[in-house]
Amino acid sequence: MFEKLTGNVQGPLEVHGAVEIEGTLHGGAVVTGTLDLIGTCNGPIEVRLDGHADIEAVVRGNVLARSGTLRLRGILEGVLGAEPGADVQLAVGTIVNGRRLEADGTFTPVQGSFGFSIPDDAQMMRLQSDATWTPVG
């Protein structure tokens, strides 16, 4: 069962169980359990061990998947890092440092100001060991 937090949540959090956040997470999180975040994260997110992070947010910080599973849909204003063995998935339309992930696995620059509105059924792309992106499924 998820512990549900809403509004402004002060971190950094260490997520060992199952936490669902709808709002703004300040300070980031280290995830070894399960984190579902919808909203904004002001700080880094790190996924370790068998952690699972499902992020639908604007992340103002770096995201690192050391292991476990990371699913991201939104905007990342930091570095995306992945170590071998981590399962990293981005939704088509996700923006990483001003570049949008396209359905062919490439990134294209985004001009001007932008927000995100990515449909729930958007294709997910998986990071491969050679740093390319391929469709999930």
Side-chain angles (χ1 to χ4, degrees), residues 30-113:
V30 173
V31 181
T32 56
T34 301
L35 172 66
D36 282 350
L37 171 64
I38 299 173
T40 304
C41 180
N42 296 318
I45 298 173
E46 183 176 336
V47 181
R48 298 180 183 166
L49 303 172
D50 290 329
H52 181 96
D54 198 348
I55 311 297
E56 186 174 337
V58 175
V59 179
R60 295 184 178 103
N62 298 334
V63 175
L64 174 60
R66 293 191 181 279
S67 60
T69 302
L70 168 68
R71 290 175 46 91
L72 177 65
R73 160 191 321 273
I75 299 172
L76 173 58
E77 297 175 355
V79 175
L80 175 63
E83 293 185 2
D87 181 13
V88 177
Q89 301 174 30
L90 299 183
V92 169
T94 294
I95 297 171
V96 179
N97 287 318
R99 299 179 318 135
R100 179 181 20 250
L101 178 62
E102 304 297 342
D104 64 0
T106 63
F107 284 87
T108 57
V110 178
Q111 302 298 323
S113 62

